Amino acid sequence: MEQKIVNPESGREDTSRRRFLKWLLGIIAAVNALVAGVPFLRSLISPSSAARQNPWLKVASINSLPEGKPVDIRFMAEPDDAYIHTTVLRSVWVIRHSAGDITVFSPVCTHLGCYYQWSQQSNRFECPCHASLFSLDGKVLGGPAPRSLDVLPSKIENGNVYVKWERFKVGTPERIPVA
Ligand code: FES
């Protein structure tokens, strides 16, 4: 049932105030519909969420990498979802075996997620947190790490190295991707 708004001074129905309230409610409903519809429209015109969040990222020129020596490469990535757009600094370990053959490791230690380093002296990766050790090919040499280093998808195209950033659960013997 429609409720009448009565002007207390004149005792008559206040139609101008009623019109204004209707107009205001209409504007609020339109704004709500617009806000709710943006993610849907964006999903129609832009690449899928998975492709947006996990694109191929150019991280280096293949000629800039020495052969057989791990290089810590840092780059900016832009993970985003339907609402938030951010830029984050990421890093990967890239090993060039030849002009057409590379291995890319996630920088995250598979034990509890610290960032490990390459030791030129001992020729192995060493984690400063709990002393896990990994060989050049990522195998566990010692310490509590439950699995080898995580290899990330990579490719070489037009002389450039591309990587797909992925995260995996730490502390497990199996490689379990984390969304
Ligand atoms: S986090 Fe690397 S050894 Fe524990």
Side-chain angles (χ1 to χ4, degrees):
M1 197 171 89
E2 195 176 353
Q3 195 179 3
K4 287 183 180 173
I5 298 171
V6 177
N7 187 324
E9 284 170 20
S10 64
R12 291 207 199 115
E13 192 182 345
D14 191 341
T15 52
S16 63
R17 195 185 293 182
R18 210 166 80 186
R19 263 204 312 272
F20 172 73
L21 284 176
K22 273 187 179 173
W23 176 81
L24 188 66
L25 287 174
I27 294 285
I28 291 170
V31 169
N32 278 343
L34 196 66
V35 168
V38 164
F40 172 70
L41 290 175
R42 190 173 163 177
S43 72
L44 290 180
I45 56 175
S46 60
S48 72
S49 170
R52 259 197 333 268
Q53 287 178 19
N54 200 9
W56 284 107
L57 300 162
K58 184 161 77 170
V59 297
S61 139
I62 188 72
N63 289 333
S64 68
L65 302 171
E67 225 157 270
K69 184 173 172 273
V71 180
D72 179 13
I73 294 182
R74 284 147 206 244
F75 55 96
M76 301 306 289
E78 296 183 347
D80 67 356
D81 60 25
Y83 299 97
I84 304 165
H85 190 84
T86 51
T87 303
V88 294
L89 179 66
R90 296 236 154 101
S91 71
V92 288
W93 283 98
V94 180
I95 305 164
R96 171 181 157 158
H97 307 293
S98 68
D101 185 19
I102 53 167
T103 300
V104 178
F105 289 126
S106 161
V108 179
C109 176
T110 56
H111 178 225
L112 290 178
C114 287
Y115 280 54
Y116 58 85
Q117 292 299 318
W118 172 252
S119 165
Q120 191 67 48
Q121 224 171 10
S122 48
N123 216 38
R124 64 191 181 194
F125 293 105
E126 299 177 350
C127 183
C129 292
H130 314 96
S132 282
L133 307 170
F134 305 90
S135 62
L136 183 63
D137 60 0
K139 297 212 168 58
V140 179
L141 296 174
R147 66 171 187 271
S148 302
L149 295 176
D150 294 320
V151 176
L152 298 180
S154 63
K155 66 178 180 179
I156 301 167
E157 229 172 62
N158 301 323
N160 293 309
V161 175
Y162 291 81
V163 172
K164 274 196 180 192
W165 176 260
E166 286 180 17
R167 276 195 88 91
F168 301 94
K169 212 167 168 179
V170 294
T172 59
E174 313 83 30
R175 239 164 60 113
I176 303 169
V178 175

